[in-house]
């Protein structure tokens, strides 16, 4: 990662008591074949967060909509990263974070990452961008640890950098932004909750060499497809022979959704993160809407409540909307 992509232009630190508002977007982790190493940022949905600079070394969490979020900072996905951040800052500095949670926890579209990334980007803005993007990812991963027991960056990195990111390594952190083509994304979120920790627990700990060969062929193909804007290559690389066969049993209607969406013209897709949301990539908006209609028909027939989104790839990541 070159320094220019990593640095955020410095500003003067804000006065104590200043408040910044941020939009923290949803993300799709894994992108089917890239378990824990690929992620993509979306324009919709977003959490809204307000972060206030305090003059004492403490973190206060407020759940604005009465959503039952843990309010102990060490147990909160926005709080834990800020605890790490203030421990690396000299002086008496803290933050009060008000979270309007719009991305449902357990949805598979990066709810915990949005809280963590939104908190650190907003806090860093108040500090005059004291920290680099890579530092922010490092802090925000503490939020993922709270949420799922494991530090993974495939939601956090695209949420902070925008676009599509490859996390080549987390020890040491090595984040590679991948040029993202202008694709449409359709998401269906069946209204069941899949906890990331549970969805990780059921995975086999070993893979067969023949499966690994297929998987890394697909990962390389997908990245090449994004860089070359080769839609056919993207489509045939959206295949996961390791994780999806195990996790898809947790998602009612998964196989049918995938098959029918491709028949409706989607390039391909699969489980978003650890599920239960399913995402599909399409070359244009009419196709993405046709794909949405297929998803709706299937879940109406199954009789399971759902939310759908038709959106595009967000090249910016967390956005400061008021300061
Ligand atoms: N890579 C993580 C997983 C993402 O699939 O468990 C969780 O959103």
């Amino acid at each position: 990662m070159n320094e220019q992509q990593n640095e955020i232009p410095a500003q003067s630190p804000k006065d104590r008591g200043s408040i910044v508002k941020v939009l923290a977007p949803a993300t799709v982790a894994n992108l089917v074949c890239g378990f824990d190493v690929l992620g993509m940022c979306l324009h919709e949905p977003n959490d809204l967060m307000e972060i206030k600079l305090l003059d004492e070394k403490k973190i206060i969490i407020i759940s604005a909509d009465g959503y039952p979020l843990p309010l102990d900072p060490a147990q909160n996905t926005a709080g834990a990263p800020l605890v790490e951040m203030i421990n690396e800052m000299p002086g008496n500095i803290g933050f009060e974070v008000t979270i309007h949670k719009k991305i449902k926890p357990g949805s598979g579209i990066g709810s915990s990452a949005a809280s963590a990334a939104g908190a650190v980007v907003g806090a860093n803005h108040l500090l005059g961008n004291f920290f680099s993007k890579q530092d922010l990812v490092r802090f925000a991963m503490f939020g993922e640890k709270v949420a799922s027991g494991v530090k993974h960056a495939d939601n956090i990195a695209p949420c902070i950098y925008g676009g599509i990111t490859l996390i080549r390594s987390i020890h040491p952190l090595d984040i590679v932004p991948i040029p993202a083509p202008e694709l449409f994304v359709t998401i269906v979120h069946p209204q069941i909750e899949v906890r990331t920790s549970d969805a990780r627990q059921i995975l086999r700990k070993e893979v067969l060499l023949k499966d690994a060969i297929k998987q890394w062929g697909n990962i390389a193909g997908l990245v090449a497809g994004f860089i070359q804007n080769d839609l056919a290559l993207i489509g045939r690389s959206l295949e996961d022979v390791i994780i999806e066969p195990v996790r898809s049993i947790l998602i009612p209607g998964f196989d049918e959704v995938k098959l029918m969406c491709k028949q409706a013209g989607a390039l391909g897709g699969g489980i978003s993160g650890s599920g239960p949301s399913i995402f599909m990539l399409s070359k244009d908006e009419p196709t993405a809407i046709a794909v949405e209609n297929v998803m709706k028909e299937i879940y109406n027939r199954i009789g399971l409540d759902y939310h759908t989104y038709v959106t595009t790839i967000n090249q910016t990541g967390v956005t400061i909307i008021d300061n």
Side-chain angles (χ1 to χ4, degrees):
M1 142 123 291
N2 70 41
E3 283 310 304
Q4 207 184 353
Q5 286 167 310
N6 204 18
E7 292 309 320
I8 314 170
Q11 299 172 344
S12 339
K14 306 284 185 243
D15 297 332
R16 304 292 200 269
S18 299
I19 296 177
V20 65
K21 279 191 193 172
V22 303
L23 273 183
T27 44
V28 173
N30 301 338
L31 292 178
V32 183
C33 50
F35 180 70
D36 278 1
V37 302
L38 286 174
M40 171 176 75
C41 190
L42 303 176
H43 274 117
E44 295 286 338
N46 290 273
D47 283 350
L48 175 64
M49 303 172 77
E50 288 144 23
I51 298 138
K52 182 176 181 184
L53 188 57
L54 306 177
D55 57 4
E56 48 183 331
K57 219 171 178 76
K58 73 192 270 194
I59 303 297
I60 302 169
I61 303 290
I62 299 170
S63 175
D65 311 316
Y67 210 97
L69 301 172
L71 299 182
D72 171 2
Q75 299 305 320
N76 180 284
T77 54
L82 293 179
V83 170
E84 297 298 320
M85 186 187 249
I86 61 173
N87 284 341
E88 288 192 21
M89 285 292 297
N92 282 331
I93 277 187
F95 299 100
E96 179 187 279
V97 184
T98 306
I99 307 172
H100 301 257
K101 198 77 198 142
K102 307 287 179 216
I103 310 171
K104 226 172 165 179
S107 57
I109 47 173
S111 174
S112 48
S115 297
V120 294
V121 171
N124 196 39
H125 177 83
L126 293 170
L127 299 176
N129 293 331
F130 185 83
F131 293 103
S132 70
K133 285 188 188 176
Q134 189 166 306
D135 288 329
L136 299 185
V137 172
R138 182 167 56 81
F139 295 134
M141 282 198 297
F142 283 90
E144 293 293 42
K145 181 128 199 269
V146 167
S148 67
V150 184
K151 281 189 186 174
H152 57 91
D154 48 342
N155 293 104
I156 295 285
C159 203
I160 289 176
Y161 285 79
I164 294 173
T165 52
L166 165 69
I167 297 87
R168 196 199 61 81
S169 152
I170 57 168
H171 300 299
L173 205 47
D174 188 356
I175 296 163
V176 185
I178 307 288
E182 291 190 5
L183 295 175
F184 282 78
V185 188
T186 313
I187 305 272
V188 62
H189 173 205
Q191 300 291 290
I192 52 171
E193 186 179 344
V194 173
R195 291 160 56 98
T196 298
S197 49
D198 295 339
R200 294 181 81 89
Q201 197 73 39
I202 61 171
L203 298 176
R204 292 189 213 104
K205 301 291 173 281
E206 283 158 10
V207 296
L208 294 175
L209 182 61
K210 73 176 174 57
D211 290 338
I213 292 168
K214 242 186 172 239
Q215 199 85 353
W216 59 57
N218 280 326
I219 296 170
L222 188 59
V223 171
F226 287 142
I227 293 170
Q228 297 170 3
N229 203 9
D230 182 336
L231 302 190
L233 177 57
I234 292 171
R236 61 181 188 275
S237 303
L238 286 167
E239 178 198 36
D240 172 5
V241 295
I242 296 176
I243 310 293
E244 182 183 288
V246 182
R247 282 186 171 171
S248 57
I249 52 171
L250 302 174
I251 307 172
F254 177 80
D255 291 338
E256 189 184 1
V257 169
K258 198 169 157 183
L259 183 73
M260 300 304 287
C261 288
K262 282 203 214 173
Q263 282 182 13
L267 299 173
I271 304 173
S272 175
S274 55
S277 290
I278 303 169
F279 82 102
M280 287 285 150
L281 297 180
S282 296
K283 63 177 187 317
D284 55 28
E285 192 170 24
T287 312
I289 292 170
V291 165
E292 181 188 32
N293 288 334
V294 165
M295 293 167 164
K296 287 179 174 174
E297 272 166 35
I298 293 173
Y299 283 108
N300 284 337
R301 180 157 34 77
I302 292 176
L304 187 57
D305 285 344
Y306 58 85
H307 281 300
T308 55
Y309 305 93
V310 174
T311 184
T312 47
I313 302 174
N314 174 344
Q315 306 288 357
T316 312
V318 176
T319 311
I320 309 287
I321 52 171
D322 195 11
N323 67 99

